Amino acid sequence: MISERIPRLLRIKNSGVECLICPLLMEEGIPILCARQIQGLHERRKRSAGGSLVNPMNLIPACNWGNGYIENNPAQIRELFGSILVVREGDAEWEGLSSRND
Ligand SMILES: [Zn+2]
């Protein structure tokens, strides 16, 4: 539920964790413009595809730029990272990340 997402995001923000997406992109040689702070949660299985908004396995703390990069370059991200960042139907984790399990 969306209402559970806000306290979760605040907890992450207060924990000192920084964006977890951009360091991965940087390792692959992608020039990053990371905000170095958590501005949202990347959904590995997108909510529009029935992905959970509360399962921690589906959510990766990210800055807006990092999250946007994934959204805008899905083919490249799949090629570089397999299902680590983007989970699609047919992947082993697909069912487990469904919002029906919330
Ligand atoms: Zn970032």
Side-chain angles (χ1 to χ4, degrees):
M1 291 196 332
I2 207 101
S3 57
E4 296 174 40
R5 230 167 114 83
I6 294 165
R8 182 183 300 275
L9 190 53
L10 286 174
R11 262 203 314 279
I12 293 169
K13 278 188 114 141
N14 293 334
S15 73
V17 173
E18 295 188 338
C19 171
L20 298 182
I21 296 290
C22 291
L24 292 172
L25 302 180
M26 193 168 61
E27 277 185 358
E28 294 297 332
I30 297 167
I32 60 167
L33 291 170
C34 187
R36 309 287 283 174
Q37 56 181 317
I38 309 308
Q39 295 168 316
L41 296 170
H42 168 65
E43 299 152 13
R44 298 175 62 222
R45 175 175 169 175
K46 289 204 261 187
R47 76 179 83 178
S48 59
S52 173
L53 296 178
V54 295
N55 181 350
M57 290 301 293
N58 198 41
L59 305 169
I60 302 178
C63 73
N64 287 340
W65 186 89
N67 211 348
Y69 189 90
I70 296 174
E71 300 297 321
N72 294 331
N73 301 280
Q76 180 195 27
I77 293 298
R78 279 291 288 198
E79 191 181 319
L80 290 174
F81 298 102
S83 63
I84 293 173
L85 297 179
V86 174
V87 175
R88 291 185 177 157
E89 192 161 14
D91 289 341
E93 289 181 273
W94 178 258
E95 285 305 324
L97 299 179
S98 170
S99 60
R100 287 193 302 264
N101 301 325
D102 293 345

